[in-house]
Amino acid sequence: MTTPTSSQTALMANAIRALSMDAVQQANSGHPGMPMGMAEIGVALWSRHLKHNPKNPHWADRDRFVLSNGHGSMLLYSLLHLTGYDLPMSELKNFRQLHSKTPGHPEVGMTAGVETTTGPLGQGLANAVGMALAEALLAAEFNKDGASIVDHHTYVFLGDGCLMEGISHEACSFAGTLGLNKLIALYDDNGISIDGHVEHWFHDDTPKRFEAYGWNVIRAVDGHDVDAVDAAIAQAKKSDKPTLICCRTVIGKGAPTKAGGHDAHGAPLGPKEIADTRAAIGWPYEPFVIPQEVYAAWDAKEQGAHLEAQWNKAFDAYRAKHPGEAAEFTRRMNGDLPASWAADVKKIIEGANERAETVATRKASQQALEGLAAALPELLGGSADLTGSNLTNWKASRPVRAAGDAENANPDAKGIQWGNHINYGVREFGMSAAINGMALHGGYRPFGGTFLTFSDYSRNALRVAALMKSRSIFVFTHDSIGLGEDGPTHQSIEHVSSLRLIPQLTTWRPADTVETAVAWTEAIGHQGPSTLIFSRQNLQFSPRNDVQIANIAKGGYVLRDWNDDIPARKIILIATGSEVQLAMEAVEKLAQEGIGARVVSMPSTNVFDRQDAEYRERVLPKGVVRVAIEAGVTDFWRKYVGLEGGVVGIDSFGESAPAGALFKHFGFTVERVVETARAALAGV
């Protein structure tokens, strides 16, 4: 890349400072200190190393850039604007305002060039680990005969807050173990957080910590020396390990009275301080005015087009030699499903129906994966140290291993060994955020598993996945008191309902093999994140006709209808997962009392709620009393049964005992369902 002169780099860095302090001041909200302190680091990376094309933010082989310390969003917005992305000055002037493309923290899909949504500290770093892992796996899978169609870096900016968050340990330990050498992290070591000087609560020896993870560490780089940062990045690119570049900086650099203190962190500098900063850094221009010479120094459009054109030429040569692989790479990076997907889905669901097995839905999930993995080469599984319990692997799955690992099929190979199943270790939060990064990178459909009760460890990554609409899949097994002897620490009570409450997250809790197969295929086809909730214990298979099977994909459907010969007293039993069979068994008892019961299986309340009013009315007609049955908290179900209906659930924590004893102890019996239905009918 063209190297700007020293006078140009000073102007380029000060342009970032000026835009950042002006935008924050105009919004009367934001964080000017980090962008002002990392300005030279931004110049070094974005003008000398970053491989990107502002005119095509989705170019497959671009470098990925993640701002993990997302509160400093004006740094990223300034860089995007100055280098030529579709982010006009009017949007910078509209920083943090309603419907602007410059929200308070970067949001993927809203601003061209933003790779992931960041703000919850540490998650961007974990996203970057996922992106670097996706790059390494794609390179191992597609690069052939010296043709490197996948060859890019993942860069991440981070601060003290990212390193204090526990997820940084999970993600960075994992990255070091796998030797993700295309991952380069630049640490803004300014010693300041909102409460002041971090030495009072954070004095870790960060370089030693990362060296212990197996990272390459470059210490004590002057973060305000563009050439020094440039040299450190060049050195990092030669490493066979992920690299942490420790950059000493001054927060709010250039502000005469607020630089170096927490007052510059999360509040506007104020008109006087901004005026004095302009004088101190030699920036005589009015707010939001950038000289043409500065735009010219920053402009990356021509260089970006050239880089992409070079890659296109190389890809054309690759396509001529490997047409099948080229077509597959293009399809996957576009996020398209295979042409045979509809037929494959039909076969997978029909197979589950024909087998008619009574198995745990975690086992039904593994059976579905056998067909899915054959149909979907991009399927990338994993588990947080519970593979044998989550059953997230399949017969042909191969573990991802680092070069030199004892299990590596080719221990002398460079880089990572390709695989399609990842052992994440006991790192639920790091796993979930890395899955988000892989999903955003493209090329794979990632999923990972753990016990449902440990979804709490992953919670904020699930929320951010929903916010981003990333195509992440989270598998949670051992879904209730049916877990049994491990007791209430492991038995989920509130978890399924709480996951359903996260906007844009689709949750499935299937009742048997067929519903499990449908849940998997719907999650893969969904343009957003999904959670799949599976049982430890065996669940009874339910026979269905073709219409019923088709309606599973609508989230809720009539599994067993009331008999027209039954008198007018009718009730609807709504159930999910392991409780569907309980509802089915209660039908006969209710019939003996002259009560006609319709059983509605509702594997996904989220999907059911998206159906049109006519379908929902057909399944749950108004005026018919309803009882919901689920081994979880009861309040959620009031939206379906109302105050006059009944709920068979559990509003306390569990106990340690065999599953059968627990279900009986907590009242998940046919007798209690009948009693609840009788009481609900008596109340109308």
Side-chain angles (χ1 to χ4, degrees):
M1 294 185 179
T2 303
T3 303
T5 66
S6 58
S7 59
Q8 284 177 317
T9 58
L11 284 171
M12 293 165 74
N14 285 336
I16 293 173
R17 291 191 173 95
L19 287 173
S20 298
M21 65 184 183
D22 289 342
V24 171
Q25 186 65 38
Q26 178 147 310
N28 196 30
S29 173
H31 301 74
M34 185 279 269
M36 297 174 72
M38 294 194 78
E40 283 84 7
I41 301 173
V43 172
L45 175 61
W46 280 65
S47 71
R48 301 189 185 184
H49 293 277
L50 194 70
K51 183 175 71 171
H52 65 124
N53 182 4
K55 289 302 181 183
N56 182 11
H58 303 294
W59 168 31
D61 202 43
R62 69 192 181 279
D63 288 339
R64 270 53 170 187
F65 174 76
V66 175
L67 190 75
S68 188
N69 42 357
H71 55 274
S73 58
M74 270 309 304
L75 173 63
L76 179 52
Y77 299 148
S78 298
L79 290 165
L80 293 172
H81 169 76
L82 292 166
T83 54
Y85 284 80
D86 182 18
L87 193 67
M89 185 66 81
S90 58
E91 293 293 348
L92 272 63
K93 292 179 179 179
N94 211 24
F95 178 56
R96 288 191 163 217
Q97 304 309 299
L98 186 64
H99 303 315
S100 76
K101 293 183 180 179
T102 50
H105 292 81
E107 295 184 36
V108 69
M110 180 175 289
T111 313
V114 171
E115 299 282 4
T116 182
T117 296
T118 56
L121 292 175
Q123 281 199 62
L125 177 56
N127 294 161
V129 170
M131 292 176 182
L133 178 53
E135 190 275 344
L137 290 172
L138 285 168
E141 185 175 359
F142 285 98
N143 291 349
K144 298 178 183 297
D145 305 325
S148 297
I149 62 167
V150 182
D151 185 14
H152 55 267
H153 287 81
T154 300
Y155 297 98
V156 55
F157 285 2
L158 63 136
D160 290 309
C162 295
L163 295 178
M164 283 186 258
E165 289 287 359
I167 191 174
S168 69
H169 166 70
E170 296 183 25
C172 295
S173 169
F174 185 58
T177 300
L178 291 180
L180 299 177
N181 67 306
K182 295 284 191 68
L183 174 62
I184 299 176
L186 293 106
Y187 167 33
D188 179 29
D189 184 10
N190 62 33
I192 295 292
S193 67
I194 291 175
D195 280 355
H197 291 272
V198 301
E199 63 193 27
H200 303 296
W201 48 86
F202 180 65
H203 62 189
D204 299 11
D205 189 331
T206 296
K208 285 186 178 178
R209 171 184 164 190
F210 275 75
E211 286 169 351
Y213 292 152
W215 285 52
N216 170 45
V217 178
I218 302 175
R219 299 167 178 249
V221 175
D222 182 352
H224 301 301
D225 184 334
V226 172
D227 291 335
V229 177
D230 172 26
I233 297 171
Q235 180 183 340
K237 285 179 171 180
K238 299 174 183 177
S239 177
D240 60 354
K241 303 174 181 179
T243 296
L244 178 72
I245 303 174
C246 301
C247 301
R248 286 296 301 174
T249 64
V250 176
I251 192 170
K253 173 74 171 175
T257 68
K258 295 187 177 182
H262 69 279
D263 287 344
H265 185 281
L269 297 180
K272 184 180 186 307
E273 186 78 4
I274 289 176
D276 291 346
T277 303
R278 277 184 153 74
I281 66 176
W283 188 264
Y285 311 103
E286 294 296 313
F288 301 106
V289 173
I290 302 295
Q292 192 55 45
E293 64 177 303
V294 176
Y295 275 125
W298 268 116
D299 193 347
K301 295 190 293 294
E302 182 178 349
Q303 175 77 355
H306 173 69
L307 290 170
E308 185 174 359
Q310 283 185 317
W311 183 83
N312 287 337
K313 183 178 179 180
F315 189 72
D316 287 342
Y318 178 90
R319 183 188 290 113
K321 198 169 184 179
H322 306 286
E325 288 87 345
E328 176 70 5
F329 179 79
T330 300
R331 176 189 71 78
R332 285 164 56 172
M333 292 307 293
N334 287 340
D336 299 330
L337 291 168
S340 61
W341 178 245
D344 291 331
V345 166
K346 186 172 184 290
K347 183 178 178 181
I348 290 167
I349 296 171
E350 286 178 347
N353 192 46
E354 289 168 3
R355 288 192 299 272
E357 292 178 289
T358 292
V359 295
T361 49
R362 61 171 174 162
K363 182 62 179 178
S365 168
Q366 188 177 49
Q367 292 171 344
L369 285 171
E370 294 291 344
L372 291 168
L376 201 68
E378 59 264 43
L379 196 65
L380 179 60
S383 181
D385 203 49
L386 290 167
T387 303
S389 294
N390 298 149
L391 304 183
T392 53
N393 58 351
W394 55 97
K395 290 176 183 176
S397 62
R398 290 176 53 185
V400 173
R401 293 290 184 263
D405 188 283
E407 287 188 19
N408 195 321
N410 182 9
D412 297 323
K414 300 293 184 181
I416 207 165
Q417 171 187 292
W418 181 84
N420 50 16
H421 188 273
I422 302 168
N423 299 105
Y424 287 98
V426 187
R427 300 182 178 103
E428 294 89 352
F429 194 6
M431 173 186 73
S432 300
I435 285 171
N436 289 343
M438 286 184 279
L440 292 167
H441 180 280
Y444 290 104
R445 288 306 312 274
F447 71 89
T450 186
F451 286 0
L452 177 56
T453 191
F454 302 140
S455 65
D456 285 338
Y457 286 141
S458 302
R459 181 58 56 118
N460 204 254
L462 304 185
R463 184 180 187 274
V464 175
L467 180 64
M468 298 189 294
K469 299 181 182 178
S470 66
R471 298 178 72 182
S472 308
I473 299 175
F474 306 100
V475 174
F476 297 121
T477 67
H478 296 61
D479 66 347
S480 70
I481 57 172
L483 170 64
E485 291 86 347
D486 277 339
T489 61
H490 284 50
Q491 291 167 5
S492 296
I493 302 297
E494 74 279 17
H495 297 81
V496 178
S497 288
S498 66
L499 291 173
R500 290 172 179 141
L501 296 176
I502 299 176
Q504 299 177 172
L505 178 67
T506 297
T507 294
W508 291 87
R509 186 177 184 240
D512 66 0
T513 55
V514 176
E515 287 193 2
T516 298
V518 172
W520 258 114
T521 57
E522 289 297 306
I524 288 171
H526 182 51
Q527 297 297 318
S530 300
T531 61
L532 303 177
I533 315 296
F534 299 131
S535 72
R536 178 199 184 200
Q537 73 276 23
N538 289 347
L539 304 187
Q540 181 71 40
F541 172 81
S542 292
R544 298 171 182 82
N545 59 38
D546 291 344
V547 172
Q548 289 173 315
I549 292 174
N551 283 340
I552 295 171
K554 295 180 179 179
Y557 65 102
V558 177
L559 178 60
R560 177 166 177 169
D561 214 350
W562 42 57
N563 189 330
D564 288 336
D565 295 334
I566 296 289
R569 296 178 73 205
K570 293 181 178 180
I571 196 165
I572 299 173
L573 304 179
I574 309 169
T576 79
S578 51
E579 288 67 68
V580 168
Q581 190 57 36
L582 185 59
M584 295 286 278
E585 293 171 3
V587 170
E588 301 302 330
K589 292 283 188 180
L590 289 167
Q592 293 172 12
E593 299 186 19
I595 301 170
R598 164 182 283 187
V599 175
V600 170
S601 179
M602 197 175 286
S604 177
T605 62
N606 308 114
V607 175
F608 180 76
D609 289 348
R610 294 178 201 141
Q611 305 308 307
D612 59 55
E614 189 274 335
Y615 178 78
R616 287 183 280 117
E617 169 65 19
R618 275 196 286 123
V619 175
L620 299 177
K622 295 181 179 65
V624 181
V625 175
R626 307 166 187 175
V627 169
I629 313 164
E630 185 174 64
V633 291
T634 60
D635 280 357
F636 173 85
W637 288 101
R638 290 293 166 190
K639 67 182 288 189
Y640 298 104
V641 305
L643 296 178
E644 71 282 0
V647 182
V648 176
I650 176 172
D651 290 312
S652 62
F653 293 113
E655 298 281 351
S656 181
L662 290 173
F663 278 117
K664 183 176 181 180
H665 172 74
F666 285 105
F668 291 95
T669 63
V670 170
E671 291 74 22
R672 186 180 172 204
V673 172
V674 171
E675 178 186 336
T676 304
R678 192 187 302 124
L681 285 167
V684 296

